[in-house]
Amino acid sequence: MPNNAATRAERFASGMAALDSIHDDAGHGVIESLADIAPELGHQIVAWGYGDILSRPGLEPQQRQLVTLGILTGMGGSDAQLEVHIGASLNVGLTPQQIIEVFLQSAVYCGFPRALNAVAAARKVFAERGLLPLD
Amino acid sequence: MPNNAATRAERFASGMAALDSIHDDAGHGVIESLADIAPELGHQIVAWGYGDILSRPGLEPQQRQLVTLGILTGMGGSDAQLEVHIGASLNVGLTPQQIIEVFLQSAVYCGFPRALNAVAAARKVFAERGLLPLD
Amino acid sequence: MPNNAATRAERFASGMAALDSIHDDAGHGVIESLADIAPELGHQIVAWGYGDILSRPGLEPQQRQLVTLGILTGMGGSDAQLEVHIGASLNVGLTPQQIIEVFLQSAVYCGFPRALNAVAAARKVFAERGLLPLD
Amino acid sequence: MPNNAATRAERFASGMAALDSIHDDAGHGVIESLADIAPELGHQIVAWGYGDILSRPGLEPQQRQLVTLGILTGMGGSDAQLEVHIGASLNVGLTPQQIIEVFLQSAVYCGFPRALNAVAAARKVFAERGLLPLD
Amino acid sequence: MPNNAATRAERFASGMAALDSIHDDAGHGVIESLADIAPELGHQIVAWGYGDILSRPGLEPQQRQLVTLGILTGMGGSDAQLEVHIGASLNVGLTPQQIIEVFLQSAVYCGFPRALNAVAAARKVFAERGLLPLD
Amino acid sequence: MPNNAATRAERFASGMAALDSIHDDAGHGVIESLADIAPELGHQIVAWGYGDILSRPGLEPQQRQLVTLGILTGMGGSDAQLEVHIGASLNVGLTPQQIIEVFLQSAVYCGFPRALNAVAAARKVFAERGLLPLD
């Protein structure tokens, strides 16, 4: 763990680099949309979420996305965040088929309704990217 | 997708082979404990969960365990199942450090209480296997 | 809907009669255990929950217990309440086999971990009543 | 439990007969909508959910729908699935008044917000069928 | 606790006075919208929720709204109710900045997705009241 | 927002001062218990949770605890964390009666089972401090 001092701006910049590495416009849009109402929330998502936690070396980007898809599917009520992270999962190299396999697997642990909601989120993302129909 | 006929017993045997490949006594104990009260539930976990879904080729065992750890942490109230799947995660080659990293990451998406409960489950499993303290 | 006036004590008495009709010691123990810390919560469970809502004529007692078992299984983190309501389900004439069938069905909608937790609660209740092993 | 062999197609056909017996277009639409993105999920909902589990003899169709309405209300975040199962509940003979009574009861166990979301789903289904206002 | 008799209509009137004291059109609209489908649910929200519980003297209105915002954010899947209670929170004197601070705090305990959903609900309410951008 | 540079150790120290201000042994025990298995999680709870978020000036300590009690009750499956935060709520000056009032209120929004679990957590904390029976 590095212990050199970092300013608030430096921590944000570090997190934004991590965010840039996996997200496209959808991910950045979340942060920008907070500017007029909850900018500190946006700052913390970037500086802490992406900078301090998600950029740690212990797991590969694809592994982290599998965990995130699992959490969001399991907790429910997170359809908007699922869309963003389905896009990020594609960005780090998971295939559409692997993402759907995650949701099929989720039916075993949290039931068909959560799986169906997650597939509905995937449909939006895959359609925007011209990936449908899947083979 | 194969379309050859399978009996109920054949489907169960196929699922049990899949279960055997990732679980030790803890996983088998769940199924056995259902024998006197809900044997059909045990059958379906094995024949459907492990046989039909979790043994599909689309994701590697380590990938599936990352998804499962994510789901169970995110949905909460699944501490007993987390223990079984933390053990399975070790069995398929995830390191204790990677498992803890999953739970640290989960704090970003479902908060510290869920992460703390998951680490408490990991403590039980790691202690039983003599893995504590982690480096 | 009757509109005759009722006192607080009369509403409580009405609810307690409804509670008596489906619960044994386990259900009454919940209310009594609140006496030294949250007696108003106990009062409201009885007067409102049992008196105003659960004693309404629209559903039969067995139907209401099926709904309650479904809710408690689906929401998770309600193992103590599941135990009380598994007992009540037996009291109103649902068989142990039907109760287990509810939990098997729940796997379709909220996954195996919730089903397993519910069966673990059923095991405690069925064992206390000498109902195990089930045929 | 029968142990005669069944092919994948036979298991699907058996489940589809069970699905046909309780669902109309809304239920079938869920399966069809998965064809271009997650056909295996659709297959498993039918072959396993309806074929292996929901067509078991231990509970009557009305009883199963009461359980399902309870689970979906309790777990939250399942509004689309609630709509489908409110329709199915009507199809198997539950009255609109009984369905609303389920959601009123749910307030006792999972609070008014979940009850309100469930009634909002019922409104859509009842309106489509010309059942509003309820007496 | 008063033990004088009250009719159903008196209890409803008492609750409506409590509801009036914190809610504007959004809160009243919820009750009115139930008239043709679940009037008893509307009655109970008012007579029991507002009359019996929320008008108790133990907590100030601002304190109660902080609790309610916490519950709704934590349980998820309650966006419509969050909107109503964000409005009520403003009505009882919490500032927009305090409300956003609640949701930032919620990230610690239930993660960023729940916090983001809550801020999205706040955006709707704040925009309707011309409160954006926040300073 | 200060933008002066801080080291990892300085951020931890700042958070620990915030944690010290509301928690006694129970809160510190959580962090210490992570030392041999997930020290980074303990660091982040302190440095980020307490240092960056919970010590912000927008809400008073009593207000923050009301929010936290609400979140933990609403999300369920967080009994251990509820115990710690019930203790902290007492430490910042909320009375036992106010804390119980929070849980009674929670029944309106997330149902009696969550309220009962929260009161069970309160019982442990209140008993340890010799506060039972409540007046």
Side-chain angles (χ1 to χ4, degrees), chain D residues 75-77 79 100 103-104 107 110 112-117 119 122-124 126 132-135, chain E residues 30 32-41 44-46 48-49 72 75-81:
Chain D
M75 69 193 288
D79 297 342
I100 294 298
F103 300 146
L104 179 57
C110 54
F112 286 128
R114 294 277 190 261
L116 286 166
N117 287 344
V119 169
R123 172 180 297 285
K124 290 188 190 177
F126 292 176
L132 294 181
L134 294 190
D135 297 331
Chain E
V30 172
E32 288 159 16
S33 76
L34 296 170
D36 66 342
I37 186 167
E40 184 65 17
L41 179 60
Q44 295 296 343
I45 292 173
V46 174
W48 184 68
L72 294 175
M75 68 193 289
S78 305
D79 297 342
Q81 291 79 31

Side-chain angles (χ1 to χ4, degrees), chain A residues 77 100 104 107 110 112-117 119 122-123 126 132-134, chain D residues 30 33-34 36-38 40-41 44-45 48-49 72 75-78 81:
Chain A
I100 294 298
L104 179 57
C110 54
F112 286 128
R114 294 278 190 259
L116 285 166
N117 287 344
V119 169
R123 171 180 297 286
F126 292 177
L132 294 181
L134 295 190
Chain D
V30 172
S33 75
L34 296 170
D36 66 343
I37 185 167
E40 184 65 17
L41 179 60
Q44 295 296 343
I45 291 173
W48 185 70
L72 294 175
M75 69 193 288
S78 306
Q81 291 79 31

Side-chain angles (χ1 to χ4, degrees), chain F residues 25-89:
Chain F
D25 286 356
H28 292 79
V30 172
I31 306 305
E32 288 158 17
S33 75
L34 296 169
D36 65 343
I37 185 168
E40 183 65 18
L41 179 59
H43 175 85
Q44 295 296 342
I45 290 173
V46 174
W48 184 70
Y50 285 92
D52 289 357
I53 305 299
L54 300 174
S55 60
R56 285 169 52 85
L59 292 169
E60 296 296 314
Q62 287 192 14
Q63 292 177 307
R64 289 199 182 274
Q65 287 307 122
L66 291 169
V67 171
T68 300
L69 294 180
I71 294 171
L72 294 176
T73 304
M75 68 194 288
S78 306
D79 297 342
Q81 291 78 32
L82 261 176
E83 287 181 43
V84 172
H85 282 282
I86 288 165
S89 296

Side-chain angles (χ1 to χ4, degrees), chain C residues 30 33-34 36-38 40-41 44-45 48-49 72 75-78 80-81, chain F residues 77 100 103-104 107 110 112-117 119 122-123 126 132-134:
Chain C
V30 172
S33 75
L34 296 170
D36 65 342
I37 185 167
E40 184 64 19
L41 180 60
Q44 295 296 343
I45 291 173
W48 184 70
L72 294 175
M75 68 193 288
S78 306
Q81 292 78 31
Chain F
I100 294 298
F103 300 145
L104 179 57
C110 55
F112 286 128
R114 294 278 191 261
L116 286 166
N117 287 344
V119 169
R123 171 180 297 285
F126 292 176
L132 294 181
L134 294 191

